[in-house]
Amino acid sequence: QVSLVESGGRSERTGGSVNLSCKGIPLIPSFDMSEYCLGWFRQTPGKEREGVAAIDTDGTTRYADSVEGRFTISKDNTKNTLDLQMDNLQPEDTATYVCAAAKFSRCPLAPEIWYTFWGQGTQVTVSS
């Protein structure tokens, strides 16, 4: 029902900031982003994909302990966009970041199977 496209990934120095965006492109006329909870995941080679942040349909947010206080997830239902503001970046934040959506009111950080729609990912590299 929706195609997700991420953007904004780039290289940054330790302590810097990057903002990622995810655009939802409707595949059916009746698509309404406000009916979907959304999440950001990240993956590095050799590691399992990790849930980073999620936002419910009512705006409730949740974060992985590793990013709490540094990352902020937000959405704009009128523009079909999902953002991830990442501050005070650390080298361990280096990963491919992927957005995901599920037609539920609440999105957990795990398991991945909760989510139906996935983007292709955007790379963030943090160097010291």
Side-chain angles (χ1 to χ4, degrees):
Q1 297 180 349
V2 63
S3 176
L4 301 174
V5 181
E6 302 93 339
S7 63
R10 60 182 177 85
S11 296
E12 181 56 83
R13 302 291 294 271
T14 298
S17 299
V18 172
N19 187 77
L20 303 181
S21 290
C22 173
K23 176 71 174 179
I25 302 172
L27 299 179
I28 58 174
S30 60
F31 173 77
D32 183 351
M33 196 166 183
S34 68
E35 298 178 346
Y36 291 74
C37 62
L38 307 159
W40 282 100
F41 290 75
R42 65 185 180 188
Q43 187 161 24
T44 56
K47 290 187 177 181
E48 291 188 2
R49 190 153 53 184
E50 172 191 15
V52 172
I55 186 166
D56 298 341
T57 55
D58 67 355
T60 300
T61 59
R62 57 193 56 85
Y63 299 91
D65 290 343
S66 58
V67 306
E68 180 81 54
R70 300 188 297 121
F71 290 11
T72 303
I73 188 172
S74 62
K75 64 175 180 173
D76 186 333
N77 291 330
T78 64
K79 298 179 180 179
N80 289 346
T81 57
L82 172 72
D83 285 356
L84 184 68
Q85 175 66 36
M86 306 187 294
D87 298 321
N88 190 20
L89 284 164
Q90 303 298 312
E92 54 265 34
D93 295 320
T94 295
T96 298
Y97 285 75
V98 183
C99 63
K103 200 171 183 181
F104 297 114
S105 60
R106 182 181 183 278
C107 270
L109 297 179
E112 295 178 25
I113 195 172
W114 189 269
Y115 295 81
T116 306
F117 304 99
W118 294 83
Q120 293 298 309
T122 186
Q123 178 68 33
V124 175
T125 302
V126 184
S127 59
S128 56

